[in-house]
Amino acid sequence: MSGTVSSWILSSARSSIILQGKGRWYSICIPNRNKIKWKLVFSKTCPYPAGSCSLDRTFSFPKALRHTSTEEEHFSFQLSPAQINDILRAGELSHRTLDLTGKSANSVLRFESNQLASNSPIEDRRSAATCLQTAGMMFGVFDGHAGAACAQAVSERLLHYIAVSLLPRQSLEEIELAVEAMKPVRPILQWHRHPNDVEYREITSQYFENLRVYWQHLLDLDTEPGFSLEEAMICAFKRLDSDISLEVQAPQENELMRNIALQVAFSGATACVAHIDGVHLHVANTGDCRAVLGVHEEDGTW
């Protein structure tokens, strides 16, 4: 037996673990009604002679298989409270939102976030950004399905789509003229990254081109661009969903771009985004995700 008891053996033996006294762990094969069952036996001496385990003598083990990592006097499957705490808090982030002058940029003084993986690699993503050309901050949580590709793409793109939807016509025209003249574009968002955040830099230019097509569409509208917050969030969600579907159908000469587009389209994700501006809070979601609002009382309770 290897130094680590396999998850398969643990699963099979979960209902038949016997703890007796001190000593070493042995993995013993027990015949039972023509079925082989595994038991982990903890005893001073092995209760079954080495090599005696067999099923109608069809095969036998030359010796008992000793688990080599149990020289300690006691063995426990449970984590200590300190170990559990370390796992739960490993993904924590606390961030103060300050502008270039060192003052609070908006009504959000600071925010905390945390992330706990239920699988490896983790399929979920999160985003936080300050809107630089309009007021407010945005926070997003994205739950990936069948991989992290879609959650990753949406976490990089959705907040940009919402921010563009909120810009007035003059701002959109200025951005378009700057891009046409190949001049620097004034940033729309200030991202608040977590050290564990990842980014698909290889496809950033493609994402920007599709975002540009979106603001060109807004400029072509007969009405004045600049939706209400509710309209902006709905429009941004729908437009990004449409773009993801179209990107996977578009011919791609670059194999990497084609593979990423396929993974994004076929994996899927839920999304929950909150926009905070002063006392105004707007939340939009798609899929089985939600936001919970807590109120801090004067006595310190929530």
Side-chain angles (χ1 to χ4, degrees):
M1 183 181 288
S2 64
T4 303
V5 180
S6 72
S7 60
W8 180 84
I9 292 177
L10 280 177
S11 178
S12 301
R14 187 169 295 152
S15 61
S16 57
I17 293 174
I18 302 175
L19 300 177
Q20 296 175 347
K22 303 176 182 177
R24 294 186 172 88
W25 281 90
Y26 289 83
S27 179
I28 303 300
C29 175
I30 308 297
N32 181 15
R33 294 185 181 180
N34 298 324
K35 291 184 179 181
I36 297 177
K37 289 189 176 181
W38 288 88
K39 288 190 177 183
L40 295 180
V41 182
F42 187 81
S43 62
K44 193 69 177 179
T45 58
C46 180
Y48 297 92
S52 66
C53 173
S54 64
L55 181 61
D56 298 330
R57 297 189 178 277
T58 55
F59 66 90
S60 63
F61 294 97
K63 62 179 180 178
L65 303 176
R66 181 170 65 86
H67 189 279
T68 59
S69 66
T70 56
E71 298 299 329
E72 299 121 299
E73 292 190 356
H74 297 282
F75 191 90
S76 174
F77 288 104
Q78 295 183 342
L79 296 173
S80 69
Q83 290 172 317
I84 295 172
N85 228 21
D86 289 341
I87 294 172
L88 294 177
R89 303 187 66 173
E92 277 189 349
L93 169 69
S94 182
H95 189 97
R96 283 188 63 84
T97 56
L98 302 176
D99 61 16
L100 297 178
T101 65
K103 298 180 180 179
S104 179
N106 49 51
S107 56
V108 178
L109 299 178
R110 76 183 232 180
F111 66 89
E112 284 80 28
S113 71
N114 199 358
Q115 195 172 36
L116 181 64
S118 61
N119 46 19
S120 182
I122 188 169
E123 297 179 340
D124 309 324
R125 295 292 186 268
R126 56 186 167 185
S127 294
T130 298
C131 301
L132 296 177
Q133 299 194 30
T134 58
M137 284 192 69
M138 288 188 286
F139 303 91
V141 175
F142 312 97
D143 179 7
H145 299 161
C150 188
Q152 174 66 38
V154 175
S155 71
E156 293 183 41
R157 305 175 68 181
L158 182 55
L159 302 194
H160 269 121
Y161 277 67
I162 297 173
V164 164
S165 302
L166 292 170
L167 293 177
R169 175 177 292 275
Q170 182 178 350
S171 297
L172 292 176
E173 290 175 346
E174 290 174 357
I175 293 174
E176 177 60 23
L177 289 173
V179 173
E180 286 182 355
M182 300 182 66
K183 294 180 179 180
V185 177
R186 191 156 59 105
I188 300 173
L189 295 176
Q190 177 189 354
W191 291 94
H192 306 295
R193 301 288 187 186
H194 187 277
N196 295 336
D197 288 349
V198 294
E199 186 178 0
Y200 288 166
R201 296 187 180 275
E202 301 86 350
I203 202 169
T204 300
S205 60
Q206 179 69 50
Y207 288 166
F208 179 81
E209 286 302 316
N210 289 342
L211 179 65
R212 183 186 181 189
V213 172
Y214 175 46
W215 78 57
Q216 288 174 338
H217 165 73
L218 295 178
L219 285 171
D220 291 338
L221 295 176
D222 294 333
T223 58
E224 166 71 18
F227 300 118
S228 68
L229 261 167
E230 182 178 348
E231 294 169 335
M233 297 181 91
I234 293 173
C235 188
F237 269 73
K238 290 183 175 180
R239 178 67 186 219
L240 179 55
D241 181 71
S242 175
D243 283 356
I244 289 173
S245 299
L246 291 174
E247 287 162 9
V248 74
Q249 301 175 57
Q252 293 275 4
E253 295 181 1
N254 186 307
E255 185 176 354
L256 175 63
M257 302 292 189
R258 182 168 63 251
N259 288 339
I260 291 177
L262 282 169
Q263 292 174 29
V264 170
F266 282 98
S267 58
T270 67
C272 185
V273 176
H275 182 284
I276 303 173
D277 178 15
V279 298
H280 304 290
L281 169 65
H282 292 77
V283 178
N285 76 287
T286 184
D288 55 342
C289 53
R290 65 175 180 174
V292 178
L293 177 64
V295 177
H296 201 195
E297 301 290 354
E298 293 182 359
D299 60 0
T301 61
W302 288 90

